[in-house]
Amino acid sequence: MTAKNTPASAAPARVWQRMLSGRRLDLLDPSPLDIEIADIAHGLARVARWNGQTSGAHIFSVAQHTLLVEAVMRERAPRVDVRLRLAALLHDAPEYVIGDMISPFKAVLGGDYKAVEKRLLAAIHIRFGLPPVLPDEITQAIKAADRGAAYLEATELAGFAQAEAKRLFGRDPGLPPSTVRDYLTPWTAARAEKRFLERFKTLHT
């Protein structure tokens, strides 16, 4: 269609989302000033991991997953810097805006999805006093904890056999049984939101 055939009244596509806090977050150029932890907690507590294909009375939320990842990191490195723990808690924070897409679908979408995700995460990091891009060793430590959490979720909630989960995600991270029972029992959205905020306040010093 040529420019002269384009309706004069055509408006540009909306690329921002309005949050319950009243903030309007631009997805293409996110400002740290438009990011609120209450919005992140509320959104992540209502986004389902594994496309909702998990057992239990409630969804297993991204908020609960991020708490599990941070717990795995604490188990593996009890003296790890508090900023690293905060980065682990926030590693999936962009999903409060873009949702949780399973890894196979991310691979189908390719680079555009990753670019949006990276810009959002950088803005979130800046908002809460972290480097926009984490050092590689920190990124790798978080990914390792993420894989450990995924192993537990896969075997405890998503119906994977242990052998398949080990092949896809690596080994069992070895959390204490009481911790596994707590973090792998899907919570209500309200409880997931509350516990996420409580942990954030502990780590964001």
Side-chain angles (χ1 to χ4, degrees), residues 43-188:
L44 294 185
R46 289 158 177 79
V47 175
R49 286 273 290 170
W50 304 92
N51 272 353
Q53 297 300 306
T54 52
S55 59
H58 306 284
I59 66 166
F60 187 78
S61 71
V62 174
Q64 191 167 349
H65 162 75
T66 62
L67 287 160
L68 176 60
V69 170
E70 197 262 328
V72 171
M73 179 165 286
R74 274 186 281 127
E75 180 68 22
R76 289 181 168 176
R79 297 183 181 179
V80 71
D81 186 273
V82 68
R83 285 161 57 83
L84 177 53
R85 295 183 185 179
L86 178 60
L89 185 71
L90 296 174
H91 79 282
D92 277 340
E95 294 178 7
Y96 89 109
V97 179
I98 58 180
D100 180 38
M101 293 188 182
I102 58 174
S103 296
F105 194 38
K106 288 181 182 179
V108 171
L109 292 178
D112 289 343
Y113 175 89
K114 295 300 293 183
V116 171
E117 184 179 46
K118 285 181 179 179
R119 282 195 295 267
L120 284 167
L121 187 57
I124 290 165
H125 280 177
I126 293 169
R127 174 66 177 84
F128 301 116
L130 295 169
V133 179
L134 299 173
D136 187 62
E137 63 270 20
I138 296 179
T139 299
Q140 293 308 313
I142 293 172
K143 285 183 177 179
D146 193 26
R147 288 192 296 271
Y151 174 92
L152 292 172
E153 294 166 21
T155 54
E156 297 287 335
L157 297 172
F160 284 68
Q162 289 184 351
E164 185 179 17
K166 185 176 181 180
R167 177 172 58 82
L168 292 172
F169 309 114
R171 61 184 178 85
D172 187 322
L175 290 179
S178 60
T179 303
V180 173
R181 283 195 300 273
D182 181 17
Y183 284 95
L184 273 298
T185 300
W187 304 329
T188 65

